[in-house]
Amino acid sequence: EPEVTQTPSHQVTQMGQEVILRCVPISNHLYFYWYRQILGQKVEFLVSFYNNEISEKSEIFDDQFSVERPDGSNFTLKIRSTKLEDSAMYFCASSFDRVNSPLHFGNGTRLTVT
Amino acid sequence: KNQVEQSPQSLIILEGKNCTLQCNYTVSPFSNLRWYKQDTGRGPVSLTIMTFSENTKSNGRYTATLDADTKQSSLHITASQLSDSASYICVVSASERGGADGLTFGKGTHLIIQP
């Protein structure tokens, strides 16, 4: 069964550094998402992406964050200047349609900011 | 404010037993309700999606129910197995946005199956 893959599985970075989290969504999916989950808390929506542009973003997704689909297969999340509170598990997800298809999640990148 | 509350927070049962997890939501307007299973250190995996008109849906030993009038859902697990140990997350979608960007997640029920 096709799956969403994320790399790296764990990223450690120093405060103020830039990080890029990478995702390869399922190939025939059209909608792409980033979510985050701070340890022990609920999953939170960051951003959705469709037709090569952001369709929705949450309050968390401020100017420090950006997303890109550079080559038709990869989907990246960049955090320009990491803060301690950015430490979390970041999940990429994709779906075939926007409303009633199940979301397929990757296994996440654990980001640790020191 | 849209909210999803799950109970119990955690549950321990013996292998082979059944259990029921609860979800109450105050999401409006309602589009669909989803249950996900999340193994430790992994991404959530979809179990069921139910729209307003559906009141029960099964996926193997998992059966979800939905009462849109009382805004409650349950997930029943039959004949539990050790591999069912995971967090079970209730997620509700608001129809104004409808899609996965309009999802409200619960905190999950942490289920432990003991041999």
Side-chain angles (χ1 to χ4, degrees):
Chain A
E1 184 176 326
E3 57 182 28
V4 176
T5 57
Q6 290 186 244
T7 54
S9 56
H10 193 183
Q11 174 94 42
V12 182
T13 189
Q14 288 190 326
M15 195 167 54
Q17 296 297 304
E18 174 183 288
V19 294
I20 297 177
L21 310 183
R22 302 181 192 279
C23 169
V24 179
I26 294 173
S27 60
N28 66 338
H29 284 184
L30 303 175
Y31 296 84
F32 313 111
Y33 310 86
W34 283 101
Y35 293 84
R36 80 172 185 190
Q37 187 175 29
I38 294 170
L39 187 64
Q41 298 189 24
K42 61 179 72 174
V43 175
E44 301 172 289
F45 167 72
L46 292 178
V47 66
S48 59
F49 194 86
Y50 170 71
N51 202 25
N52 286 321
E53 61 183 21
I54 290 174
S55 48
E56 295 281 351
K57 58 183 181 179
S58 71
E59 294 172 350
I60 304 168
F61 194 88
D62 61 22
D63 292 342
Q64 296 294 322
F65 291 89
S66 62
V67 289
E68 220 178 21
R69 189 158 159 80
D71 57 15
S73 62
N74 291 287
F75 180 48
T76 63
L77 174 70
K78 181 191 291 185
I79 309 175
R80 287 190 187 82
S81 178
T82 51
K83 304 186 283 284
L84 294 177
E85 54 265 36
D86 293 328
S87 294
M89 184 74 92
Y90 288 81
F91 291 107
C92 173
S94 68
S95 64
F96 182 73
D97 72 48
R98 187 167 169 268
V99 178
N100 290 320
S101 289
L103 272 182
H104 293 258
F105 285 84
N107 283 325
T109 293
R110 179 167 298 285
L111 177 64
T112 303
V113 182
T114 62
Chain B
K1 183 181 177 182
N2 291 336
Q3 286 191 322
V4 175
E5 301 292 336
Q6 292 188 243
S7 62
Q9 198 170 37
S10 61
L11 181 64
I12 302 173
I13 64 171
L14 292 176
E15 185 180 9
K17 297 295 186 184
N18 304 336
C19 66
T20 301
L21 315 180
Q22 301 291 343
C23 173
N24 296 328
Y25 61 92
T26 54
V27 173
S28 184
F30 174 87
S31 176
N32 58 58
L33 185 143
R34 311 166 185 226
W35 282 94
Y36 283 86
K37 177 187 179 189
Q38 186 177 22
D39 292 316
T40 302
R42 313 273 290 188
V45 174
S46 179
L47 295 176
T48 62
I49 300 177
M50 288 184 292
T51 60
F52 182 87
S53 59
E54 297 172 295
N55 55 23
T56 187
K57 184 166 274 192
S58 291
N59 178 359
R61 293 179 298 102
Y62 301 103
T63 299
T65 65
L66 173 64
D67 186 335
D69 291 331
T70 62
K71 298 187 177 180
Q72 294 180 324
S73 175
S74 66
L75 181 70
H76 186 74
I77 304 174
T78 304
S80 60
Q81 300 175 359
L82 296 177
S83 58
D84 292 332
S85 294
S87 284
Y88 291 83
I89 305 173
C90 176
V91 187
V92 183
S93 174
S95 65
E96 271 184 3
R97 302 168 79 179
D101 39 25
L103 298 180
T104 301
F105 286 75
K107 283 191 173 181
T109 291
H110 186 52
L111 176 64
I112 298 173
I113 310 298
Q114 286 188 337

